[in-house]
Amino acid sequence: MAKKENSCQSLIPSFLYSSSVGYKNGGVLQQSTLSPPSNSGDHHGVLSKNFVIPAPMEKIEMYSPTFYMACTAGGIISCGLTHMAVTPLDLVKCNMQIDPSKYKSITSGFGVLLKEQGLRGFFKGWVPTLLGYSAQGACKFGFYEFFKKYYSDIAGPEYASKYKTLIYLAGSASAELIADVALCPMEAVKVRVQTQPGFARGLADGMPKFVRAQGYSGLYKGLVPLWGRQIPYTMMKFASFETIVEQIYKNVIPTPKDQCSKNLQLGVSFAGGYVAGVLCAIVSHPADNLVSFLNNAKGATAGDAVRQLGLWGLFTRGLPLRIFMIGTLTGAQWGIYDSFKVFVGLPTTGGAAPASAAAKA
């Protein structure tokens, strides 16, 4: 009988027989996870109607090199795909920031693009978007997990738990500082392709043309404003997400996180990510306007942007569209990222104390 149980267990994804989602007492399967064997000769049982995301057989050791590689891969998938998917919204938003007299609103902006460039025009610049934000996502999520653990170890168990929000803020800021160096060249080409008609069709002809005009250093002209946009954005994205998720598990869901289904945990990740994304958009929007302005106008300065857009315009131009875009984008990113973590046998993000504090407990 024991041999038969072990055989059954070997066919089940690893997270299903972890202590939190289906197995207890040395690997005995709870009735709620699998239905009884059928009379048709199926001796392994079948999955219940609750949908679950399968995971590889072997779990990944937390904070091992493989763990950080998995988080990096999850960041590539979550950021690259989501940013590429919202290219039409980003295209309208950038043009509203650069030429508000022509692109007066979201609906009229889409109308102008459709009339002048056709349906293909809505995905103009998708290649630098995909490559740039994939590289950024790799560094953003991979280094965030690294720095969160690193700063928690420095602080020690007691202070890591007491000042966990500071750990989240420091870890995310450190990660984004690196991530933007990877993103900046592609962001510069993307904005120029999207906002200057006739400049280039995409990355293949846009990058050489950009370098000939401004040199390789020109690709990093917008790095400081990009830091100004992305570092506050990412600090808000990670710290607010971790806090929101923790509060959801503490005050909304009566069941401890490790006893919740993976589907419920992924729903919490999306909800927490969406709310965090709205906050991110508001905090980082002035710098987003500044980045678009500098990458579009050769030789322009931050002072030029303030004089032309005005302080009110710097804070509000294109903001409603960006709130919708970033809220959806951030929610989807956290959902995809945590789905990937579950797929490879890792727990979802948030709802627990930092590593050092958890170790003490």
Side-chain angles (χ1 to χ4, degrees):
M1 182 65 182
K3 183 176 181 181
K4 190 172 181 178
E5 286 178 354
N6 290 337
S7 174
C8 176
Q9 181 172 329
S10 68
L11 297 176
I12 300 170
S14 59
F15 70 78
L16 287 178
Y17 55 81
S18 69
S19 60
S20 61
V21 287
Y23 275 85
K24 63 182 181 179
N25 299 329
V28 178
L29 187 63
Q30 291 181 1
Q31 186 66 27
S32 61
T33 305
L34 291 184
S35 64
S38 68
N39 296 325
S40 61
D42 179 7
H43 298 293
H44 301 300
V46 293
L47 285 175
S48 68
K49 63 182 181 180
N50 293 328
F51 173 76
V52 290
I53 297 175
M57 300 303 295
E58 296 297 329
K59 284 191 174 182
I60 296 174
E61 181 185 351
M62 293 293 290
Y63 311 114
S64 65
T66 306
F67 166 80
Y68 293 117
M69 288 175 61
C71 294
T72 298
I76 291 173
I77 296 169
S78 66
C79 289
L81 294 181
T82 52
H83 275 278
M84 184 185 72
V86 298
T87 296
L89 289 172
D90 187 43
L91 189 59
V92 172
K93 184 263 302 179
C94 287
N95 280 285
M96 286 176 65
Q97 292 170 330
I98 297 302
D99 192 356
S101 61
K102 184 177 181 181
Y103 298 87
K104 297 178 181 179
S105 67
I106 297 170
T107 53
S108 68
F110 276 110
V112 171
L113 282 174
L114 182 62
K115 182 179 179 180
E116 293 186 351
Q117 302 183 35
L119 289 175
R120 292 184 61 184
F122 285 117
F123 280 90
K124 195 172 185 180
W126 72 269
V127 175
T129 298
L130 175 63
L131 296 179
Y133 283 94
S134 292
Q136 186 214 35
C139 298
K140 184 198 297 276
F141 282 92
F143 280 111
Y144 173 69
E145 299 286 4
F146 171 80
F147 282 118
K148 183 168 69 170
K149 176 68 165 62
Y150 178 74
Y151 293 140
S152 294
D153 289 343
I154 291 176
E158 180 181 353
Y159 289 109
S161 179
K162 186 176 181 180
Y163 300 109
K164 56 190 172 186
T165 301
L166 293 179
I167 299 289
Y168 302 146
L169 291 170
S172 56
S174 300
E176 191 61 40
L177 191 72
I178 299 170
D180 288 344
V181 176
L183 169 65
C184 196
M186 293 297 172
E187 180 76 357
V189 175
K190 175 189 80 75
V191 171
R192 188 66 62 88
V193 167
Q194 290 180 335
T195 59
Q196 286 193 7
F199 174 75
R201 293 188 301 274
L203 178 65
D205 57 336
M207 177 68 81
K209 192 171 183 179
F210 191 104
V211 171
R212 283 196 300 271
Q214 299 194 34
Y216 286 102
S217 62
L219 294 171
Y220 285 94
K221 181 180 73 172
L223 180 59
V224 173
L226 189 63
W227 277 333
R229 180 188 80 184
Q230 289 298 130
I231 290 178
Y233 166 90
T234 301
M235 292 170 72
M236 180 66 75
K237 174 178 179 175
F238 283 89
S240 62
F241 173 82
E242 297 264 15
T243 303
I244 291 166
V245 167
E246 181 183 354
Q247 292 305 311
I248 290 175
Y249 283 117
K250 183 182 294 184
N251 300 311
V252 179
I253 299 174
T255 307
K257 178 186 175 181
D258 61 357
Q259 296 177 25
C260 294
S261 69
K262 290 300 179 184
N263 286 340
L264 179 57
Q265 291 184 35
L266 293 174
V268 170
S269 293
F270 177 80
Y274 197 96
V275 176
V278 172
L279 299 175
C280 292
I282 296 171
V283 166
S284 62
H285 193 65
D288 183 64
N289 273 321
L290 190 59
V291 169
S292 295
F293 186 90
L294 292 177
N295 282 328
N296 182 66
K298 184 177 180 179
T301 65
D304 296 331
V306 174
R307 282 190 293 272
Q308 184 167 326
L309 299 176
L311 284 176
W312 179 251
L314 204 61
F315 278 85
T316 61
R317 183 172 293 174
L319 180 59
L321 178 58
R322 191 158 185 266
I323 286 176
F324 172 75
M325 185 181 81
I326 297 299
T328 305
L329 192 76
T330 307
Q333 284 178 357
W334 278 114
I336 293 171
Y337 178 67
D338 275 350
S339 294
F340 183 82
K341 288 177 74 175
V342 168
F343 175 76
V344 298
L346 291 169
T348 57
T349 310
S356 248
K360 180 182 179 182

